[in-house]
Amino acid sequence: MTEWVPYALYVVFAFAGLALYLLLPKRGAVHGVAGGVIALAALTGLVALLAFGLSDSPTLTFYALAVVAVGGTGRVITHTRPVYSALYFVMVVIAVAAMCLMMAAEFLAIALILIYAGAILVTYVFVIMLAQQEGAAPAYDRFSREPLLSVCAGLMTMAVVSGQAVKAVQQRQAVESAGLSGVGSARLAAGPGLFQDVEGPPPSPNPASTGAAEGAYPALPPPTHAEEVGGLLMARYVVALELGALLLLVAMAGAVAISRKRIPAEGPEQKPVEAGASGRRVVPF
Amino acid sequence: MPSVEEFLVVGAMLFAMGLVGFLARRNLIIIFLSTEVMFQGVVLTAVAFSRMAGNLEGQLYALFLLVIAAVEASLALGIVVLLYRRKGTLDSEVWSMMKG
């Protein structure tokens, strides 16, 4: 049953690629209606394939989120106005955060919404406001560079990455169910959503064994997800944490340094530079 | 509960569609926005593999990736503003002096 799944995936991706090519802004007519219909067909095919080919217990929530994420991404890259692209991207971020919630990654989901939708996207919207052109959508928004070749490149990437990922996961699960590999089988057999890390918190002491006469403490509740993430960050990944903080500091200094530079406006035409000339004078800061 | 492969397929689609946007669009801001879309695909893939392995490593990787994405977005947008100030347009085709 699982042999035909990667090839059906390629068919779905071909439809998605055709829809993307029709929807990308380009010279000649933009076939919005035809592209939209083919995009809907591709999304339906994707959901059907995921439900019947790859899943043993289809979940409606996941398919709704997948449709929102993939459809939103399609609109991000095909919309002519940058503000709408940014707003569709907020939708994609929220869908991805909800999918992380489904995988019991609560801290990451909230961090995604706070940082991506709350900080990065707001910065994007501010920059779009600063660099906005008045009137109708300018030419560089209405025409793409090489739409056919970029859609082919994206299609190849989609097909190769997802086909290989699906095959690898299915191979691994086939090997483990045959009992030949014991590396991850113990963890997988423990059930989904069970994050038993090697350096997890120590087990709470059993009051009966330590003796009630010593005033044994009551058993600790199991750590929450955020406590586990925090424990790992402070214990095993503390160097990466400090490096990340250093990176943020350096980026802040760099952003201030970049924004202080004085730029003389040159206009949209390029000045021709003769061979051997030293180029334009750059104002040092 | 959706299986790991379903998350991987969706993550791969997000990544590849971000790649299409990065290659096809001419607006500098949309190019960097497509890079952020590619980050979302990678985050989804990392968390899916983390769940398959049963530990939190993939989620921490995605968290550090978030830090990198924030840093990259701020610096890239600063550079985009500078480029816009120099040429007066957000078109990436005007920066073609080194084109062969």
Side-chain angles (χ1 to χ4, degrees), chain A residues 157-182:
Chain A
T157 311
M158 249 193 258
V160 167
V161 171
S162 62
Q164 288 307 311
V166 165
K167 282 181 196 167
V169 168
Q170 283 175 347
Q171 263 180 7
R172 184 172 188 226
Q173 285 175 347
V175 159
E176 278 175 354
S177 66
L180 294 173
S181 149

Short mmCIF file of all heavy atoms in Angstrom, two decimals, chain A residues 157-182:
data_model
loop_
_atom_site.label_atom_id
_atom_site.label_comp_id
_atom_site.label_asym_id
_atom_site.label_seq_id
_atom_site.Cartn_x
_atom_site.Cartn_y
_atom_site.Cartn_z
N THR A 157 12.66 20.28 -5.72
CA THR A 157 12.98 20.26 -4.29
C THR A 157 11.89 19.56 -3.50
O THR A 157 12.16 18.72 -2.64
CB THR A 157 13.14 21.71 -3.78
OG1 THR A 157 14.00 22.41 -4.64
CG2 THR A 157 13.66 21.74 -2.38
N MET A 158 10.62 19.94 -3.76
CA MET A 158 9.50 19.31 -3.07
C MET A 158 9.53 17.81 -3.24
O MET A 158 9.39 17.05 -2.28
CB MET A 158 8.19 19.83 -3.69
CG MET A 158 7.37 20.72 -2.85
SD MET A 158 5.75 20.91 -3.57
CE MET A 158 5.91 22.51 -4.31
N ALA A 159 9.69 17.39 -4.50
CA ALA A 159 9.59 15.96 -4.79
C ALA A 159 10.73 15.20 -4.11
O ALA A 159 10.52 14.18 -3.45
CB ALA A 159 9.62 15.74 -6.30
N VAL A 160 11.96 15.73 -4.27
CA VAL A 160 13.11 15.00 -3.73
C VAL A 160 13.03 14.95 -2.21
O VAL A 160 13.16 13.88 -1.59
CB VAL A 160 14.41 15.67 -4.20
CG1 VAL A 160 15.59 15.16 -3.43
CG2 VAL A 160 14.62 15.40 -5.67
N VAL A 161 12.82 16.11 -1.57
CA VAL A 161 12.87 16.15 -0.10
C VAL A 161 11.75 15.31 0.49
O VAL A 161 12.00 14.45 1.36
CB VAL A 161 12.78 17.62 0.38
CG1 VAL A 161 12.61 17.67 1.88
CG2 VAL A 161 14.02 18.38 -0.02
N SER A 162 10.52 15.51 0.03
CA SER A 162 9.43 14.78 0.68
C SER A 162 9.44 13.32 0.30
O SER A 162 9.16 12.46 1.13
CB SER A 162 8.10 15.42 0.33
OG SER A 162 7.91 15.32 -1.04
N GLY A 163 9.78 13.00 -0.96
CA GLY A 163 9.84 11.60 -1.35
C GLY A 163 10.86 10.83 -0.54
O GLY A 163 10.58 9.75 0.00
N GLN A 164 12.04 11.41 -0.41
CA GLN A 164 13.08 10.73 0.36
C GLN A 164 12.72 10.65 1.83
O GLN A 164 13.00 9.65 2.49
CB GLN A 164 14.42 11.45 0.18
CG GLN A 164 15.02 11.28 -1.18
CD GLN A 164 15.12 9.83 -1.57
OE1 GLN A 164 15.61 9.00 -0.81
NE2 GLN A 164 14.63 9.50 -2.74
N ALA A 165 12.12 11.73 2.37
CA ALA A 165 11.76 11.70 3.79
C ALA A 165 10.73 10.61 4.06
O ALA A 165 10.85 9.84 5.02
CB ALA A 165 11.21 13.06 4.21
N VAL A 166 9.72 10.55 3.19
CA VAL A 166 8.68 9.53 3.39
C VAL A 166 9.27 8.13 3.29
O VAL A 166 9.02 7.25 4.12
CB VAL A 166 7.55 9.74 2.36
CG1 VAL A 166 6.67 8.53 2.30
CG2 VAL A 166 6.74 10.95 2.74
N LYS A 167 10.12 7.93 2.25
CA LYS A 167 10.72 6.59 2.09
C LYS A 167 11.60 6.23 3.27
O LYS A 167 11.58 5.10 3.76
CB LYS A 167 11.55 6.56 0.81
CG LYS A 167 10.76 6.43 -0.46
CD LYS A 167 11.69 6.40 -1.65
CE LYS A 167 10.90 6.67 -2.92
NZ LYS A 167 11.80 6.96 -4.05
N ALA A 168 12.38 7.21 3.76
CA ALA A 168 13.30 6.92 4.87
C ALA A 168 12.53 6.58 6.12
O ALA A 168 12.88 5.62 6.84
CB ALA A 168 14.21 8.13 5.11
N VAL A 169 11.47 7.35 6.40
CA VAL A 169 10.71 7.08 7.62
C VAL A 169 10.03 5.72 7.52
O VAL A 169 10.00 4.95 8.49
CB VAL A 169 9.69 8.21 7.86
CG1 VAL A 169 8.71 7.81 8.92
CG2 VAL A 169 10.40 9.48 8.26
N GLN A 170 9.49 5.40 6.33
CA GLN A 170 8.82 4.12 6.21
C GLN A 170 9.79 2.96 6.31
O GLN A 170 9.49 1.94 6.92
CB GLN A 170 8.07 4.07 4.88
CG GLN A 170 6.80 4.87 4.93
CD GLN A 170 6.12 4.95 3.61
OE1 GLN A 170 6.71 4.60 2.59
NE2 GLN A 170 4.89 5.39 3.61
N GLN A 171 11.00 3.14 5.75
CA GLN A 171 12.02 2.10 5.88
C GLN A 171 12.38 1.89 7.33
O GLN A 171 12.51 0.76 7.80
CB GLN A 171 13.28 2.52 5.12
CG GLN A 171 13.38 1.93 3.76
CD GLN A 171 14.64 2.37 3.07
OE1 GLN A 171 15.49 3.02 3.67
NE2 GLN A 171 14.77 2.03 1.82
N ARG A 172 12.55 3.02 8.06
CA ARG A 172 12.96 2.90 9.45
C ARG A 172 11.89 2.21 10.26
O ARG A 172 12.18 1.37 11.11
CB ARG A 172 13.22 4.30 10.01
CG ARG A 172 13.72 4.25 11.40
CD ARG A 172 14.15 5.60 11.87
NE ARG A 172 14.79 5.44 13.16
CZ ARG A 172 14.55 6.20 14.20
NH1 ARG A 172 13.70 7.17 14.09
NH2 ARG A 172 15.16 6.01 15.33
N GLN A 173 10.63 2.55 9.98
CA GLN A 173 9.56 1.92 10.75
C GLN A 173 9.40 0.45 10.39
O GLN A 173 9.09 -0.37 11.23
CB GLN A 173 8.25 2.68 10.53
CG GLN A 173 8.26 3.98 11.30
CD GLN A 173 7.05 4.82 11.02
OE1 GLN A 173 6.32 4.55 10.08
NE2 GLN A 173 6.84 5.82 11.83
N ALA A 174 9.66 0.13 9.11
CA ALA A 174 9.60 -1.28 8.72
C ALA A 174 10.68 -2.08 9.42
O ALA A 174 10.46 -3.19 9.91
CB ALA A 174 9.73 -1.41 7.20
N VAL A 175 11.88 -1.48 9.49
CA VAL A 175 13.00 -2.17 10.15
C VAL A 175 12.72 -2.34 11.63
O VAL A 175 12.97 -3.39 12.22
CB VAL A 175 14.31 -1.37 9.92
CG1 VAL A 175 15.34 -1.72 10.96
CG2 VAL A 175 14.83 -1.64 8.54
N GLU A 176 12.16 -1.29 12.23
CA GLU A 176 11.93 -1.40 13.67
C GLU A 176 10.80 -2.34 14.00
O GLU A 176 10.84 -3.04 15.01
CB GLU A 176 11.65 -0.01 14.24
CG GLU A 176 12.91 0.76 14.50
CD GLU A 176 12.62 2.17 14.93
OE1 GLU A 176 11.43 2.54 14.91
OE2 GLU A 176 13.56 2.87 15.28
N SER A 177 9.77 -2.35 13.17
CA SER A 177 8.68 -3.27 13.48
C SER A 177 9.10 -4.70 13.26
O SER A 177 8.54 -5.60 13.86
CB SER A 177 7.45 -2.93 12.64
OG SER A 177 7.73 -3.18 11.29
N ALA A 178 10.12 -4.91 12.41
CA ALA A 178 10.63 -6.27 12.25
C ALA A 178 11.56 -6.66 13.39
O ALA A 178 12.02 -7.78 13.46
CB ALA A 178 11.35 -6.41 10.91
N GLY A 179 11.86 -5.70 14.28
CA GLY A 179 12.63 -6.02 15.46
C GLY A 179 14.12 -6.09 15.22
O GLY A 179 14.86 -6.60 16.05
N LEU A 180 14.60 -5.54 14.08
CA LEU A 180 16.01 -5.68 13.78
C LEU A 180 16.84 -4.57 14.39
O LEU A 180 18.04 -4.72 14.58
CB LEU A 180 16.22 -5.66 12.25
CG LEU A 180 15.61 -6.85 11.54
CD1 LEU A 180 15.71 -6.67 10.05
CD2 LEU A 180 16.29 -8.13 11.97
N SER A 181 16.21 -3.44 14.70
CA SER A 181 16.99 -2.34 15.25
C SER A 181 16.43 -1.98 16.60
O SER A 181 15.24 -1.83 16.76
CB SER A 181 16.94 -1.14 14.31
OG SER A 181 17.02 0.05 15.05
N GLY A 182 17.30 -1.83 17.60
CA GLY A 182 16.80 -1.50 18.92
C GLY A 182 17.10 -0.09 19.35
O GLY A 182 16.92 0.26 20.50
#
